[in-house]
Amino acid sequence: KKQMSEFYLITNELKEALKNHELVLFYQPKIDIITNRVYGAEGLIRWNHPKRGLLTPFHFIPYAEKSNLITQIDRYVLKQAFFTLQKWENIDYLKDLNLAINISANEFRQRDFVLNLKNLLEEYKIDPSKLEIEITDTLSMQDIGYTVTVLEEVKSLGFKIALDDFGTGYSSLNYLKKLPFDTLKIDQSFVRDLENDNDDLTITKMIVQIAKVLNKTPVAEGVENEVILKIVRDLGCELVQGYYFAKPLPVFEFQKLLR
């Protein structure tokens, strides 16, 4: 009874949050460690709750997924991403950045997912190559035929595709060669303990090599200290993100960091 009460409370508050624009994007920089410049950012959802303060996805996304509010949240995030990129195009030090956002399995399977992207592109008229759609390893392996078809449509519009959390789900090398993606993200569960765990080191090295062989860009998540940064660089991974450089930041703090 307590769990059900909490579920209905949070889902009702989420509905109000969507109406009142309480959901905001925070931005975590992606760093090119060869040039030491910010290459782009990942947009991460936060809930600016009027009573509980700033909440991470852990506190509300599971409820959104169970209530089907996740599609509304995905669309909200997509629209915010388009709006952000449109604004950045008019600011010299931001106009060359790309922005990555995560798409849930629920939204990806919506029949009008690609149509919604087309409509947003028509409305905001951004450079689509600056927006990267991230899908998870697990999602990509479900109904591979449908996944490939949708991703090819997304690519045809000019957007980039990132395969997130690679190696943590149902990874298949046979399917990997069929997926039209640009970026292979190495999950932080492998990266965070690179200095102490030889298995993580071997797996990360393998993922970087797979990405290079397939002519894709590897990105290491969860780089949190200088030792791990050096290991990742030595493995040949040129793009990283993690707390060593910056936590996810509100838009104004992110822009201040770049300046």
Side-chain angles (χ1 to χ4, degrees):
K1 183 177 178 181
K2 183 180 178 182
Q3 288 176 339
M4 290 301 294
S5 296
E6 185 178 29
F7 173 79
Y8 284 117
L9 173 65
I10 292 178
T11 52
N12 285 329
E13 286 183 338
L14 265 177
K15 290 174 185 176
E16 291 301 310
L18 285 162
K19 292 178 186 175
N20 299 331
H21 301 283
E22 294 169 11
L23 300 179
V24 294
L25 279 186
F26 274 40
Y27 302 86
Q28 185 173 39
K30 289 183 183 177
I31 311 298
D32 184 329
I33 56 178
I34 304 303
T35 63
N36 286 321
R37 296 182 66 85
V38 177
Y39 163 80
E42 180 176 358
L44 299 161
I45 192 73
R46 297 290 186 267
W47 183 1
N48 196 9
H49 195 285
K51 295 179 181 178
R52 298 168 63 193
L54 196 67
L55 301 178
T56 62
F58 172 80
H59 293 94
F60 61 92
I61 289 298
Y63 297 93
E65 289 174 336
K66 290 176 183 176
S67 65
N68 288 327
L69 281 172
I70 191 66
T71 296
Q72 291 183 48
I73 292 175
D74 275 318
R75 303 250 164 150
Y76 182 87
V77 168
L78 265 173
K79 194 161 189 174
Q80 288 298 309
F82 275 81
F83 175 74
T84 298
L85 283 170
Q86 186 186 59
K87 287 185 66 176
W88 286 358
E89 284 184 352
N90 298 314
I91 303 174
D92 281 344
Y93 65 93
L94 296 170
K95 65 182 181 181
D96 294 326
L97 298 185
N98 78 347
L99 179 60
I101 56 167
N102 296 278
I103 293 296
S104 73
N106 191 297
E107 169 63 9
F108 187 77
R109 295 192 189 101
Q110 296 297 314
R111 291 187 176 183
D112 63 343
F113 170 59
V114 176
L115 178 61
N116 183 50
L117 286 176
K118 288 180 181 177
N119 291 338
L120 287 170
L121 193 55
E122 180 64 28
E123 180 180 355
Y124 289 95
K125 295 180 170 57
I126 65 166
D127 177 354
S129 68
K130 292 179 181 175
L131 182 62
E132 189 168 65
I133 307 293
E134 292 191 4
I135 65 166
T136 63
D137 178 10
T138 304
L139 167 61
S140 69
M141 299 305 157
Q142 296 172 358
D143 195 349
I144 189 70
Y146 175 80
T147 300
V148 170
T149 299
V150 173
L151 291 184
E152 285 178 344
E153 289 185 54
V154 172
K155 287 275 290 179
S156 71
L157 294 174
F159 298 103
K160 297 289 180 65
I161 305 291
L163 191 57
D164 199 9
D165 303 340
F166 183 73
T168 64
Y170 307 109
S171 308
S172 165
L173 297 181
N174 184 43
Y175 288 160
L176 192 62
K177 66 182 182 182
K178 300 178 182 178
L179 294 170
F181 66 96
D182 305 279
T183 302
L184 194 60
K185 300 194 75 174
I186 307 167
D187 189 71
Q188 58 188 344
S189 62
F190 299 127
V191 175
R192 280 180 171 164
D193 205 28
L194 281 177
E195 57 186 308
N196 302 311
D197 193 314
N198 284 331
D199 289 338
D200 282 346
L201 182 64
T202 301
I203 291 169
T204 302
K205 181 179 181 181
M206 179 191 70
I207 294 174
V208 171
Q209 290 174 340
I210 288 172
K212 295 290 182 73
V213 167
L214 294 174
N215 199 27
K216 312 297 182 184
T217 302
V219 177
E221 297 180 298
V223 174
E224 297 189 350
N225 61 55
E226 197 164 350
V227 174
I228 291 178
L229 176 63
K230 183 181 184 306
I231 294 171
V232 167
R233 181 188 285 117
D234 290 344
L235 291 177
C237 188
E238 298 170 3
L239 297 181
V240 304
Q241 62 186 98
Y243 283 14
Y244 178 70
F245 295 99
K247 295 180 179 181
L249 300 168
V251 63
F252 294 116
E253 288 187 30
F254 175 75
Q255 292 176 190
K256 182 180 177 182
L257 176 74
L258 262 74
R259 286 200 301 272

